[in-house]
Amino acid sequence: MKNTMSFLLLILLALVVATSEETEAEALLKWKSSLYQPGSLASWAIRNGTSPCAWYGISCDQAGNVVQISLQSSNINGTLDSLNFTSFRNLISLNLSDNILQGSIPSGISNFSKLNSLDLGTNSFGNFVPSEIGDLSELVYLSLFNNNFVGPVPSQLSRLSKVRHFDLGHNHLNNTEYSNFSAMPSVLYLSLFLNNLTGFFPQFIFKCTNLTYLDLSQNAFSGPVPDSLANMSMLRELHLGTNNFIGGIPPVLSSISSLRVLELGNNPLGGPLPSSLSQLKFLERLNLKYAGMNSTIPPELGLCTNLNFIDLSFNQLSGPLPFTFVNLTKMREIDISSNNLSGEIPGEFYKSWPELIVFKVQNNSLTGRIPQDIGLAKKLTVLFINKNSLVGPIPSEIENLVLLTQLVLSENSLSGPIPPSIGNLKNLISLFLVYNNLSGEIPDEIGSLVSLNHLDLSGNSLSGPIPPSIGNLKNLVWLQLFKNKLSGKIPSEIGNLVLLYQLDLSNNSLSGPIPPSIGNLKHLIFLYLYINNLSGEIPDEIFLKSKYGSGP
């Protein structure tokens, strides 16, 4: 009798499990039927009593209960309206990120009582963020990133006492009453990036005492950056850029010794760049562009030897580039453009920065020569030194920068010839040497720069012919050689540049006929040939290809 009862109990238990699986399967199939062409869910079908545990994106526990739905990047198009949340009592993880889901998040989501991870990021969900998400007491990971949510951030979400990752960035949230927020002691990662949030710095954040990552950038927060941030001793990344913060950079930020990333750019902060930032020994990235700073660059920054990224562009910084920057041996990207910097570029920088890939110092008042040591920065991909007062030749050592994609040396007082060694830079996409005092002929080797799409040598004293090798540059869309002393014929090979939309050879001493091959330039919109010594008739093809003809 006892064995019979045990057998019946096992049968009953099996029926309960089967019913539970069928309920979950039915709920999933009902939702699938509401979606638009759910091709990625082809395996979602009842075949010979198959449970949903074998379906794509579904994971179950040993009892056969659905515990995980992972459908990220599955091209799912539809809403959550037909998903029966009550059918998934054991669900612990729901990831529907990077799909095409829209509509609202139903309030029934609160039925996922065991859920510890919810990722609905990068969809098109809209309307308000449901306050019922705050009832998911087991939630550790929450991401609603990159949707179309509007209205306030519900204060109920601050009841998520276990949440560690909290991301509502890249939405349209606004008008939040932060005083109603509770402490969130477990949160480590907090992002409200790229919303429409206003007001002073949210005070509830100071209750998040274990924060390691904070991103409030690209909002409309105002007032000063609070000194209380110094109490956030665990903070590793602080992103406050693109807001309306004022009152300077608080020197107390230097007491957050764990900081790796400090981003305050695009704020009207004003004031000096504090030398106290040198105390941030672990700092790796410093972004203070468009911050209204009006001091010198403190040489003490050279003590931040872990720095690999500096952006101080578009300020009113003056004085020289600190020689102490030679200590920043991990430097990869530096942008100090559009300031009032003076003095020379120390060649020792290029010796000391073997990992350098981006160097931008354009639009300053730098003097002296381009250091020959620039050839040691063999990983450089971007070099902008334009709009300064540099003199002397373009160093031939530039041939070593074989990874360069952009080289801009325009609007200086550089002299001498264009070095033939420039032909080694096979990866160049843009070459701008505009408005210098360069002389001599355009080297034939320029035809080796087959990746170029922009070439501008205008406003110099270049002489001699246009080399026929220029016809090798079949990726060019922009070619400007105006205001030089070029002579001889326009090479017929220029007709090989079939992607060209702008060609300006004006203000030279070119002679002979206009080559009919220009008619091959099917994309040509702008053609300027005036102030030359050209002869013969204007080919009819030019008027078919050029919006403004060949005249002045």
Side-chain angles (χ1 to χ4, degrees), residues 256-389:
I256 311 176
S257 59
S258 57
L259 266 186
R260 265 71 170 173
V261 176
L262 176 59
E263 188 241 322
L264 300 173
N266 293 94
N267 281 291
L269 289 165
L273 176 55
S275 60
S276 59
L277 293 181
S278 62
Q279 298 174 35
L280 301 174
K281 303 302 182 186
F282 296 104
L283 195 64
E284 298 174 5
R285 294 178 62 88
L286 178 62
N287 185 340
L288 300 174
K289 66 178 179 181
Y290 280 112
M293 292 180 297
N294 52 17
S295 66
T296 59
I297 301 175
E300 290 87 350
L301 272 184
L303 298 173
C304 299
T305 54
N306 284 296
L307 273 173
N308 61 63
F309 176 97
I310 294 178
D311 191 344
L312 304 177
S313 60
F314 294 95
N315 284 287
Q316 291 87 50
L317 297 171
S318 58
L321 296 168
F323 189 80
T324 56
F325 276 16
V326 297
N327 298 321
L328 307 180
T329 56
K330 299 179 181 179
M331 186 57 62
R332 289 174 55 82
E333 299 183 43
I334 185 163
D335 187 348
I336 319 182
S337 59
S338 298
N339 279 285
N340 300 315
L341 299 174
S342 57
E344 299 187 1
I345 301 172
E348 288 81 0
F349 284 178
Y350 305 115
K351 293 180 182 178
S352 305
W353 299 342
E355 302 300 317
L356 188 67
I357 59 174
V358 174
F359 186 74
K360 296 182 178 181
V361 293
Q362 72 269 24
N363 199 18
N364 279 288
S365 299
L366 298 172
T367 55
R369 298 184 171 216
I370 300 174
Q372 292 179 327
D373 289 331
I374 199 168
L376 300 174
K378 295 182 179 180
K379 294 185 179 181
L380 260 180
T381 61
V382 176
L383 179 59
F384 288 178
I385 315 183
N386 49 301
K387 293 187 178 181
N388 280 286
S389 300

Side-chain angles (χ1 to χ4, degrees), residues 4 64 93 109 241 311 334 336 399 402 404 537 551:
T4 302
S93 177
I109 198 168
D311 191 344
I334 185 163
I336 319 182
E399 68 181 342
V402 294
L404 267 186
E537 296 184 355

